Each structure stands twice: as C-alpha cells, then as structure tokens.
Amino acid sequence: MERIVECVPNFSEGRDARLVARLVEAVESVNDAVVLSTHVDPDHNRSVITFVAPPETIVEAAVRVVARAAELIDLRPHAGQHPRMGACDVLPFIPVRGVSVEECVALAQCAGERIWRELQIPVYFYESAARVPERENLADVRRGGFELLREQIATVPERAPDVGEARLHPTAGAVIVGVRPLLIAYNVTLKTNDLSIARRIARAVRGRDGGLLHLKALGFELESRGVVQVSMNLTSYEQTNLHHAFEAVRREAKKLGVEVIASEVVGLVPQNALFAAAAHFLQLENYSPDIVLENRIAAALERKK
Amino acid sequence: MERIVECVPNFSEGRDARLVARLVEAVESVNDAVVLSTHVDPDHNRSVITFVAPPETIVEAAVRVVARAAELIDLRPHAGQHPRMGACDVLPFIPVRGVSVEECVALAQCAGERIWRELQIPVYFYESAARVPERENLADVRRGGFELLREQIATVPERAPDVGEARLHPTAGAVIVGVRPLLIAYNVTLKTNDLSIARRIARAVRGRDGGLLHLKALGFELESRGVVQVSMNLTSYEQTNLHHAFEAVRREAKKLGVEVIASEVVGLVPQNALFAAAAHFLQLENYSPDIVLENRIAAALERKK
C-alpha cells in the first residue's frame, strides 16, 4: 500500500460485541481495507474502529460500515454519557502517507454525498472538511446530541445538514464526516513527583503558549510510579516531530534541574516519524526515505507490477 | 514480503550492458524477486546485481540467473583484473529479515545442488556456508582464478568442488556460493583534517582492537572537504547498531577534543536499524516494531489474506 488513508469511525454501540464484529466485517469486505484496532467502551456505550485503505477504496469501506451501522443500531433507545447524534456518529478521514489533506477532504465529500444518496442519512462536515467556520469544532456540531438535533434540524436554519434534506434518519440520526490530521500521542517522563514542574514544561513547549507550533502538551502525575509526565499530541509530525518534542522537554527540564527518564508513544507512530528522529540524532547528512532497504524493495515491487 | 533474503551475484561481464540486462530479466522472471540495484564495472569487466526475494523463491531466481550467465558468458576469452573463476563467479545469500543464517545456509546448499545437477557447473561453498574452514575466506577459494583452477581441479585433492565432479564447466567455470551477513556501511565525519585522529578513533571503536564486537573501522581523509572520516562496517546491526557506532565515535572524538560534524549511510539500511536508533535516542521505553503504523498495517493485510 503506497498511499494510505486512515478512517476512525465512532459508533453508538459499545455493549454488543457481536454487533461490533459485524461492523468490522463490513469494513474488511472491501479490498485492501484492513482494521488495525477496535475499541469497545461499554461505559460510554460507544465503539471506535480504526482502519486503513488506499484512497481508491477507503470511501467504499466507509460507506459500507455506515450502512451496516444504520442497519444494526437504533439510536432511539440508545443511552450513554457520550454526546452522539448518529448510529455511526463521527467519520474522520486522516491522511497517513502519500495523500494530502485536500485529497482527504475530497474523499470525505464523496463519502458524505453517497451516505445521503444511498442511505438517506443527512451529513455534517467538520474540521478540515467543514464548509463553514462554525462547524470546524466537532463539539459545536454535535451540541445537544440526537434528541436536540431532531427538534431543531428542520426549524433552526444554522442546524441544517451540509448534505441532504433537513430531517434525521429515524433510527440512524446523522453522520458527522471530517478530515483531521494524524496525531502522535507522545509522553516524556520526568524524574520528579512535582506536578508543577511537568505543567511548567508543558506550557514552555506547547504551541498555544509560544512553543513548538504543532504541539499540544499537558502535565500529568503518574501516582503509581511517583513521577510526572509531559503528555503531548503532535498534530503535524512532518513539521514538529518526536525529536523536536523530546529535545524541547529535555531542554526545559534541564533548566529546572530535572532529568528525563524515558518517553513513550501511545498507540501507533508512522515509520517516517521514527526515520526522521534517527536521522536527526545520528546527524545523517544523506538521509532520505530512499536509503531504507524496505522502501527500495517496495518501490521495486511497485515498478515490477 | 514478510521474510526477505538478499542475493548479490557477481558476474564476469562488465562491458556488455545488454547482456547484463538479460541477467536482470532472468532474476525478475521469478515471482516476488526484485532487483534493487545493478552495478556494471567496465574496468574490472564485472557486474553485480543485488536482488531480494522471500526464502520460498530466492533459490529459483538464483539458479535462473546462474543458468542465464552460463548461457551468455564465455569465460575463456574473458579478461579483467579482478580474480574470478565463474561466469557467475560468486553467489552470496544474505539474511535480511525474518530469516536466520542457518536457513540461508540451507538455501545456499539447495542452490548449489541444483546448479550442479541442472547446469553441470561445480560448486564451492564459502563463508558461513563453507563445509571446511579452509574455504571460509572467499579469496582462498578463488586463488589463481579460472585458469589455475582448470589445471588443479582434477589433480589437487584440496581443490575439488564441494558439489559436483572435479571438472570445470568448459565456458562457465565454477560458482562460489555462500552466506554472509548484511553489512551496513556507515561513516562518521569529524571536524579535523588530521588523519591520525580518525585512525586512532577507528582503532578505539572497532572489534578487532577490543571495541564494539561487530564493528570494523578505518580512518580516511576526505581531501576535497578538508575533513576526515571514521569509515565503518556494521556486520551484525541487531547487536552493534548505528547508534552504538555513532556514540562510540563521538565519545572517542570528545576525548581528543574533536567534534562530530555528520554521519552517512553508504548504500541501504534496514528499517529496523533506524527504528532501534530512534528508540535509543528518544529513550522510548515501550518501543517494539508493533508500535509502527506500517508494521501494523502489514500484519493486518497478512492476517486478512
């Protein structure tokens, strides 16, 4: 798979594991679409499927799983703390490799049009796919959930869907389709139990307060281990990568006389983020993805096809 | 390709590019076998093809290219400085990923048996595939080349082949089949033009003189740039990796008051070497190849098959 798009649909069902398995089947019924992880949360009565596919087939897989969710999930008796307004509630597309944000927006729009046309479920677009600034923030789109939207969709003009008529699907509600960046969740652990130090460092390194542009950071305590962590999200690792985050934290920690013990990636990390980190620390002057044996093999296999 | 073997045959023809292209075709006629690079050396009248394949098909690709070389190259009129004794002169197998040295020795033996049986070319085994210690060193096996071996093969018992009768193929000679480790060629550049410093550091870091076990090192001058380099071969990167070499050189350089300017990989580097280097420098406590997104995708695709 040369070009990769990730899709992370959230569903309003987190108690019936067999139902969730049927959602996974719908995704994997599509060529080249593979599920990387499934997270089922009974407390919030919600589940999240992470899958990838090339841009050529990701929309088909997304539409099939939204259709399967509409067939299996009835939102009317659904209960759970998490705000939601659809059987498939949120459908974000994430550019992973060889695909631009703009291409993903086009894929999201294509998915949205098909969801309305084929399933009669109205669609809202959020984040990079938003058509109006008021819908960039997911929480704003979802405000009041299924029940409030059912009252307002036809009568409050600013709550009309981006695609489809101003009426909810009776059992499946609406789908919020978007494009968001790939996040790397990355924590650096400090040799202290003083939470204020982690918080000071988080403020110093994060973009919001003048630090690294594509970095979000918070300080946390790990009580069981008696240490604190700077817990970060890298929202654009091509610009602000693991090594930038690590070195910024280490520099600020040093100023405060505190040592970095370790770091950890939460979830998955794209290989290019690790390659770039290795190249940085090794001062590799001729680094390019072309020097990686496996990349060369993949390119040769592609050529041979 | 989950499991990868590399094969780097050397041929006694480096002037006829169309002939070399036909050798490449023979390799690529096999499923999943791909050529990564071709090096044609007119001065030595010799060429080197680097290809990879899974263990299931690498022997077939190797035998086909040896057969094609026997068909196209006549060693009798061949001239060139480089010692050689076969049309396909040397045929090393290299474990790259998911394959042990022992498996590669079995593949080399299988290739050797087929080369004799199908092509009537006698076979010698060298390095890890050697059956006797006297044949571990390639130069010892090849001593005197085609012409001397032609005189001695039937009369000097210690020059008899490992597989096949004691007579050379009239035009294709013999093939020396072996197994050797994957090498990473890695140079670290120092901010000085004093060659003696590079040499001192090379001595301090290399295995032969008590340094890092799987590291060979020499000092070189880069006259055009006015700097020197510690030029290294990593013969077992799972044990002695880029970051070990880099940090050892940097430490020794520091002792001598010299700065490291940069480093470079010559040729290709396996992705796991870069992942391990990144994990080392980032102090990633939860690193495993499983946290790499692309590895997870490959495993999911494999599972789905």
Side-chain angles (χ1 to χ4, degrees):
Chain A
M1 217 185 285
E2 274 299 281
R3 307 204 302 145
I4 302 171
V5 182
E6 192 174 80
C7 188
V8 188
N10 290 220
F11 302 94
S12 296
E13 173 59 59
R15 288 166 192 163
D16 183 346
R18 283 195 300 187
L19 189 159
V20 176
R22 295 206 52 210
L23 299 175
V24 168
E25 279 170 23
V27 171
E28 295 215 324
S29 70
V30 171
N31 239 351
D32 287 340
V34 285
V35 171
L36 301 184
S37 70
T38 306
H39 180 72
V40 179
D41 179 347
D43 294 328
H44 288 123
N45 197 11
R46 215 173 151 77
S47 54
V48 178
I49 294 176
T50 301
F51 70 93
V52 294
E56 292 75 17
T57 59
I58 191 106
V59 171
E60 179 63 26
V63 173
R64 281 195 204 175
V65 77
V66 171
R68 183 68 59 88
E71 185 190 317
L72 300 177
I73 300 171
D74 185 347
L75 214 56
R76 288 169 304 180
H78 177 270
Q81 293 229 324
H82 202 287
R84 80 280 175 276
M85 57 188 228
C88 175
D89 190 43
V90 190
L91 185 71
F93 291 85
I94 298 141
V96 170
R97 192 168 70 188
V99 182
S100 66
V101 170
E102 292 68 31
E103 276 180 277
C104 283
V105 169
L107 294 169
Q109 283 170 341
C110 177
E113 297 290 341
R114 285 189 56 186
I115 289 167
W116 168 250
R117 199 173 61 239
E118 298 173 22
L119 309 171
Q120 284 76 56
I121 304 174
V123 170
Y124 296 79
F125 291 118
Y126 82 105
E127 213 157 315
S128 298
R131 293 188 179 172
V132 290
E134 297 74 33
R135 290 189 177 163
E136 280 175 11
N137 185 350
L138 176 61
D140 292 338
V141 181
R142 199 159 50 188
R143 194 169 5 99
F146 179 65
E147 289 74 12
L148 183 65
L149 187 63
R150 191 163 48 182
E151 288 172 25
Q152 297 186 327
I153 189 167
T155 54
V156 180
E158 56 267 30
R159 299 221 71 188
D162 288 307
V163 183
E165 292 171 24
R167 53 180 168 79
L168 287 183
H169 184 286
T171 57
V175 183
I176 317 173
V177 179
V179 173
R180 64 166 174 80
L182 182 75
L183 295 184
I184 301 177
Y186 182 54
N187 301 332
V188 176
T189 309
L190 305 172
K191 199 175 180 176
T192 175
N193 61 3
D194 183 346
L195 179 57
S196 72
I197 287 183
R199 288 186 170 153
R200 271 179 74 177
I201 295 174
R203 270 195 303 276
V205 300
R206 69 191 171 203
R208 199 175 73 183
D209 293 314
L212 295 168
L213 196 54
H214 303 284
L215 189 70
K216 298 176 178 183
L218 288 172
F220 280 111
E221 218 172 334
L222 295 186
E223 277 185 56
S224 62
R225 291 172 60 185
V227 294
V228 298
Q229 266 187 343
V230 181
S231 177
M232 296 175 280
N233 270 326
L234 281 57
T235 57
S236 179
Y237 74 89
E238 283 100 343
Q239 272 96 52
T240 301
N241 194 11
L242 299 165
H243 58 276
H244 300 113
F246 180 80
E247 297 217 300
V249 170
R250 185 163 59 180
R251 192 173 52 241
E252 296 302 322
K254 203 176 172 188
K255 284 187 202 164
L256 301 172
V258 171
E259 207 182 308
V260 164
I261 302 177
S263 76
E264 61 173 350
V265 166
V266 182
L268 299 176
V269 59
Q271 62 181 19
N272 283 345
L274 293 175
F275 292 156
H280 164 79
F281 289 111
L282 293 169
Q283 299 174 236
L284 270 183
E285 62 183 353
N286 70 330
Y287 174 73
S288 94
D290 275 358
I291 71 167
V292 179
L293 177 66
E294 284 83 353
N295 288 349
R296 198 70 75 90
I297 294 173
L301 284 169
E302 196 61 29
R303 173 183 51 68
K304 201 182 158 180
K305 257 184 207 164
Chain B
M1 217 186 286
E2 273 300 280
R3 306 204 304 146
I4 302 171
V5 182
E6 192 174 79
C7 187
V8 188
N10 291 219
F11 303 94
S12 296
E13 173 58 59
R15 289 167 191 162
D16 183 346
R18 282 194 301 185
L19 189 158
V20 176
R22 295 207 51 210
L23 300 174
V24 168
E25 278 169 24
V27 171
E28 295 215 324
S29 69
V30 171
N31 240 351
D32 287 340
V34 286
V35 170
L36 300 184
S37 70
T38 306
H39 180 73
V40 180
D41 179 348
D43 294 329
H44 289 122
N45 196 12
R46 212 174 153 78
S47 53
V48 178
I49 294 176
T50 302
F51 70 93
V52 294
E56 292 75 17
T57 60
I58 191 106
V59 171
E60 179 62 27
V63 173
R64 282 195 202 175
V65 77
V66 171
R68 182 69 58 89
E71 184 191 318
L72 299 178
I73 300 171
D74 184 347
L75 213 57
R76 290 168 303 179
H78 177 270
Q81 294 228 324
H82 203 287
R84 79 283 175 274
M85 57 188 230
C88 174
D89 191 43
V90 192
L91 185 71
F93 291 86
I94 298 140
V96 170
R97 193 168 68 189
V99 182
S100 66
V101 170
E102 292 68 30
E103 275 179 279
C104 283
V105 170
L107 294 171
Q109 284 171 339
C110 177
E113 297 290 340
R114 285 189 55 186
I115 288 167
W116 169 249
R117 200 173 60 238
E118 298 173 21
L119 309 171
Q120 284 76 55
I121 304 174
V123 170
Y124 296 79
F125 290 117
Y126 82 106
E127 213 159 315
S128 298
R131 292 186 179 172
V132 289
E134 297 74 31
R135 291 191 176 162
E136 280 175 12
N137 184 350
L138 176 61
D140 292 339
V141 182
R142 200 159 49 188
R143 194 168 5 100
F146 179 66
E147 289 74 12
L148 183 64
L149 188 63
R150 192 163 48 181
E151 289 172 24
Q152 298 186 327
I153 188 167
T155 53
V156 180
E158 56 268 29
R159 299 220 69 187
D162 290 307
V163 183
E165 293 171 23
R167 52 177 169 80
L168 286 184
H169 184 285
T171 57
V175 183
I176 317 172
V177 180
V179 173
R180 64 166 174 80
L182 181 75
L183 295 185
I184 300 177
Y186 182 54
N187 301 332
V188 176
T189 309
L190 304 172
K191 199 175 180 176
T192 174
N193 60 4
D194 183 347
L195 179 57
S196 72
I197 287 182
R199 287 184 170 153
R200 271 179 74 178
I201 295 174
R203 270 194 303 276
V205 301
R206 69 190 173 206
R208 197 174 75 184
D209 293 314
L212 294 169
L213 196 55
H214 303 284
L215 188 71
K216 298 176 178 182
L218 289 171
F220 280 111
E221 217 171 335
L222 294 186
E223 277 186 54
S224 62
R225 291 172 60 184
V227 294
V228 298
Q229 267 186 342
V230 181
S231 177
M232 296 175 279
N233 270 326
L234 280 58
T235 58
S236 180
Y237 74 89
E238 283 100 341
Q239 272 96 52
T240 302
N241 194 12
L242 299 166
H243 58 275
H244 301 112
F246 179 80
E247 297 215 300
V249 170
R250 185 162 59 180
R251 191 173 52 240
E252 296 302 322
K254 201 176 174 188
K255 284 187 202 163
L256 301 171
V258 172
E259 206 181 309
V260 165
I261 301 176
S263 76
E264 60 174 350
V265 166
V266 182
L268 299 176
V269 59
Q271 62 181 19
N272 283 345
L274 292 175
F275 292 157
H280 165 78
F281 289 110
L282 294 169
Q283 298 174 236
L284 270 182
E285 62 183 353
N286 70 330
Y287 174 73
S288 95
D290 275 358
I291 71 166
V292 180
L293 177 66
E294 284 84 352
N295 289 349
R296 198 71 74 89
I297 293 173
L301 285 168
E302 197 60 30
R303 172 183 51 68
K304 200 181 159 181
K305 258 184 204 162

